[in-house]
Amino acid sequence: MELTGAEIIIECLKAEGVDYVFGYPGGAVLHIYDAFYKQDDVQHILVRHEQGATHAADGYARATGKPGIVLVTSGPGATNAVTGIATAYMDSIPMIVITGQVPKHLIGNDAFQEVDSVGITRPIVKHNFLINDVNDIAETFKKAFYVATTGRPGPVVIDIPKDITAEKIAFEYPAEIKMRSYNPTVIGDDEQIRRAVDLMLKAERPMIYTGGGVIIGNGSEQLRTFTRSLGYPITQTLMGLGAFPASDPLSLGMLGMHGTYEANMGMHHSDLLIAIGARFDDRVTGALEKFCPDAKIIHIDVDPASISKNVKVDVPIVGEVAPVLDTINALLSKSAEQTNKAALEKWWAQINEWRAQDCLKYDRDSEIIKPQYVVEELHKITNGDAFITSDVGQHQMFAAQYYGFDKPRRWINSGGLGTMGFGLPAAMGVQLAYPDETVACITGESSIQMCIQELSTCKQYGLPVKIINLNNGYMGMVRQWQEFFYEKRYAMSYFDALPDFVALAESYGHVGIKVEKTADVRPALEEAFKQKDRLVFLDFITDREENVYPMIPTGAGLNEMILV
């Protein structure tokens, strides 16, 4: 039986086990939407803006490890998706974005709603395709899923002219695919691994530094075995939180610009840095010329382009995190050589001195609500077991510092691109993936307004997300930088026309609660989480001048933190 190109697309999605597609219809994709209407196996989630579709698919992918799927129309549909595609690309999130295109004979004619989607997205995707023949649809989809989910994952765009989705052919989905130009390395080099293990056992001041690659590469279990067998201190990037439990005594918390004092000082004074699934970005390293001056560096990463890109390393190991750590753990368990216990005891004594600084302390007796307190109470109410999404800014850092993630894939945030508006639609994707789990979005009054129309999507699909709005009346992180570095010239960082968030939430059919006193924080949270089947918008009026500490100024080293 012959199928249309649109029907073939649906069959490809079924073959890949897709549950949800996040999208918004338009002229160039109406054949595809008609094909959706005729089946029930793949559910389409209608968002209110294409950026919401990409963030929802992104949140779904981060929480499940499966690729998120997006469907948008040509022209403005595709360009509205660009921010979400870039967000996924920066954080190595697997995503398939299907963009409609004008009919083939109109491409290049400046036709209605025509843009060069392939050209626009080329710098922010792992790969993209323009399908020119209906016979290529099935093979292209097989390639797209393979590219998006293997090696260092990332988004793949498939641009499909409308006329191709109407043509008919017989359908057959490839059982497997081989691409001569794309063969990612999985297993690390044995000699390099042996060199790394030798350095690990001889280290006197070791640090383990891990990033989002551990979570993306499903290497959390191996990381826990590795870290605990050595007894070495471990610090994690913003993207890596949860791969190793925050509650474990070996964990020093997050490192970098807003990392803990003990983590950053441990990094700076280490003699061996074991980097796993991390990319040495500027928010982690501080000034490159001051970064880990005395350390030999081992770097394990699936992406060879990331190794020695920013920081020159001594022992590079290219391969997927899980199998590489399996090999290292096996060598460590068989090794006759032991770690330098005397040196390690001295190192831990120094680290515990740094810990005693209590760099995350704040005024817990304040009558004005402190944002840190809200996050800590949220952790208690949810037993530290919720899926937490966030937007970008001070609230994101407070969530990272104070929630204490013990499990991977529970912390869902935009790290590399820093995308405001990410939190709510990402929470939708997570809630759809795990309908019986607790999902909370920690946001701010500026970020939440960027995709607030997705409250309508939450109503349509009955998504009981809990929104924790840390409302200080400012673009908080912008204000903090203006306070520190621009002599308190608060240019355009203050909002003097904020909506009544409670009334706004209620207008969408949700529950709204405004909280203005510290004493009311916990009761409000308890009330919100009792409402299992309702979205609740909690508007916490927080201290307008609270800052995120520690902080490393631009151009400073990891040992040059502002603590108060």
Side-chain angles (χ1 to χ4, degrees):
M1 185 174 66
E2 291 190 336
L3 301 177
T4 66
E7 291 167 337
I8 288 170
I9 291 169
I10 303 299
E11 292 302 316
C12 291
L13 298 177
K14 289 181 186 178
E16 292 291 343
V18 171
D19 298 314
Y20 295 104
V21 172
F22 302 88
Y24 201 93
V29 289
L30 285 183
H31 293 319
I32 304 174
Y33 272 89
D34 193 51
F36 265 111
Y37 187 82
K38 298 172 183 176
Q39 58 82 53
D40 297 314
D41 294 312
V42 182
Q43 185 177 356
H44 180 277
I45 303 299
L46 176 65
V47 297
R48 300 307 186 261
H49 190 286
E50 289 90 351
Q51 183 175 340
T54 53
H55 293 332
D58 187 322
Y60 176 90
R62 292 179 199 241
T64 64
K66 298 167 62 177
I69 315 299
V70 177
L71 173 60
V72 298
T73 194
S74 62
T79 57
N80 281 347
V82 164
T83 296
I85 296 169
T87 300
Y89 179 72
M90 289 289 284
D91 290 344
S92 306
I93 305 303
M95 184 186 291
I96 307 294
V97 182
I98 306 163
T99 59
Q101 185 53 273
V102 299
K104 282 190 299 180
H105 70 278
L106 291 178
I107 292 176
N109 286 359
D110 294 332
F112 177 65
Q113 292 193 331
E114 180 195 358
V115 298
D116 179 5
S117 297
V118 168
I120 288 171
T121 61
R122 185 172 287 118
I124 54 167
V125 294
K126 190 173 178 186
H127 195 63
N128 56 20
F129 300 90
L130 172 61
I131 297 180
N132 288 306
D133 189 323
V134 67
N135 292 285
D136 295 336
I137 291 177
E139 184 178 3
T140 299
F141 268 77
K142 188 69 175 180
K143 286 180 179 178
F145 275 87
Y146 174 60
V147 171
T149 58
T150 57
R152 181 177 180 173
V156 174
V157 166
I158 306 174
D159 199 35
I160 307 178
K162 183 175 181 177
D163 53 330
I164 287 177
T165 62
E167 296 174 10
K168 283 190 172 185
I169 59 164
F171 169 70
E172 183 178 355
Y173 198 61
E176 58 181 1
I177 201 79
K178 289 184 180 180
M179 299 176 67
R180 185 176 62 182
S181 60
Y182 177 69
N183 293 287
T185 301
V186 175
I187 306 300
D189 181 80
D190 287 340
E191 184 178 342
Q192 293 294 82
I193 289 175
R194 283 193 294 270
R195 285 182 60 204
V197 168
D198 186 57
L199 283 175
M200 291 172 192
L201 293 173
K202 288 180 168 60
E204 296 185 355
R205 302 186 308 278
M207 280 289 294
I208 301 171
Y209 148 54
T210 67
V214 177
I215 295 172
I216 294 165
N218 298 310
S220 298
E221 183 179 340
Q222 290 86 346
L223 176 66
R224 294 173 191 214
T225 299
F226 170 72
T227 304
R228 288 165 178 162
S229 68
L230 289 170
Y232 289 173
I234 181 171
T235 182
Q236 299 173 88
T237 67
L238 179 71
M239 296 304 303
L241 296 175
F244 189 84
S247 59
D248 192 293
L250 297 176
S251 174
L252 306 189
M254 186 172 69
L255 79 160
M257 178 172 281
H258 295 295
T260 67
Y261 184 69
E262 55 267 30
N264 285 337
M265 292 297 283
M267 290 284 290
H268 183 77
H269 292 282
S270 65
D271 69 346
L272 178 68
L273 183 59
I274 307 164
I276 308 172
R279 59 188 179 87
F280 295 89
D281 72 285
D282 58 296
R283 288 294 175 102
V284 161
T285 63
L288 284 172
E289 67 274 12
K290 302 176 183 179
F291 180 72
C292 296
D294 302 320
K296 295 275 189 185
I297 300 176
I298 299 164
H299 190 186
I300 301 168
D301 203 288
V302 74
D303 180 12
S306 290
I307 293 180
S308 291
K309 179 179 179 180
N310 296 327
V311 174
K312 182 174 173 54
V313 305
D314 299 281
V315 183
I317 302 173
V318 178
E320 291 184 358
V321 166
V324 169
L325 285 182
D326 277 334
T327 302
I328 290 174
N329 289 336
L331 288 175
L332 288 171
S333 67
K334 296 174 184 175
S335 175
E337 188 177 351
Q338 300 295 313
T339 58
N340 189 334
K341 298 218 176 337
L344 191 58
E345 186 176 334
K346 184 178 178 181
W347 180 227
W348 270 111
Q350 173 62 76
I351 288 170
N352 287 329
E353 283 187 28
W354 292 324
R355 264 182 172 161
Q357 289 274 351
D358 192 13
C359 66
L360 298 182
K361 61 180 178 290
Y362 66 93
D363 182 8
R364 286 179 168 82
D365 298 321
S366 170
E367 292 185 8
I368 302 173
I369 297 174
K370 296 290 186 180
Q372 303 96 314
Y373 178 73
V374 177
V375 176
E376 287 187 330
E377 289 301 300
L378 176 65
H379 183 275
K380 293 174 185 175
I381 291 287
T382 60
N383 297 313
D385 202 36
F387 286 89
I388 303 293
T389 72
S390 85
D391 279 294
V392 172
Q394 286 183 322
H395 61 270
Q396 177 190 30
M397 294 300 109
F398 289 133
Q401 291 174 328
Y402 292 92
Y403 191 81
F405 296 92
D406 280 348
K407 296 178 181 178
R409 299 192 183 278
R410 296 275 165 160
W411 170 228
I412 314 292
N413 80 114
S414 168
L417 195 63
T419 306
M420 294 172 70
F422 175 84
L424 175 56
M428 298 186 327
V430 176
Q431 191 75 79
L432 282 161
Y434 298 105
D436 298 326
E437 295 283 351
T438 299
V439 181
C441 169
I442 297 178
T443 186
E445 76 292 329
S446 304
S447 286
I448 190 63
Q449 293 189 80
M450 289 202 171
C451 282
I452 202 163
Q453 70 280 349
E454 299 308 330
L455 287 173
S456 178
T457 307
C458 292
K459 180 63 176 177
Q460 180 173 349
Y461 296 99
L463 303 177
V465 172
K466 305 301 182 281
I467 298 173
I468 313 298
N469 188 39
L470 303 180
N471 184 350
N472 63 7
Y474 281 99
M475 284 183 272
M477 191 60 82
V478 172
R479 184 206 58 76
Q480 178 169 334
W481 277 62
Q482 289 171 334
E483 176 185 335
F484 286 4
F485 309 119
Y486 295 90
E487 299 177 340
K488 299 185 178 181
R489 293 187 295 274
Y490 300 129
M492 272 51 79
S493 60
Y494 174 71
F495 277 76
D496 58 0
L498 290 173
D500 180 338
F501 286 110
V502 169
L504 185 58
E506 290 174 346
S507 75
Y508 279 102
H510 303 304
V511 177
I513 302 174
K514 187 173 184 177
V515 189
E516 299 183 84
K517 297 179 181 178
T518 300
D520 294 333
V521 169
R522 187 175 182 88
L525 286 168
E526 288 174 340
E527 173 60 26
F529 284 96
K530 282 179 186 175
Q531 304 199 47
K532 301 292 186 185
D533 300 324
R534 299 289 301 277
L535 182 148
V536 182
F537 193 117
L538 292 139
D539 188 23
F540 292 97
I541 308 305
T542 62
D543 191 335
R544 299 169 72 87
E545 297 183 354
E546 190 68 16
N547 290 323
V548 181
Y549 296 107
M551 180 176 181
I552 299 173
T554 302
L558 292 182
N559 62 328
E560 298 173 308
M561 288 162 277
I562 301 172
L563 295 179
V564 289

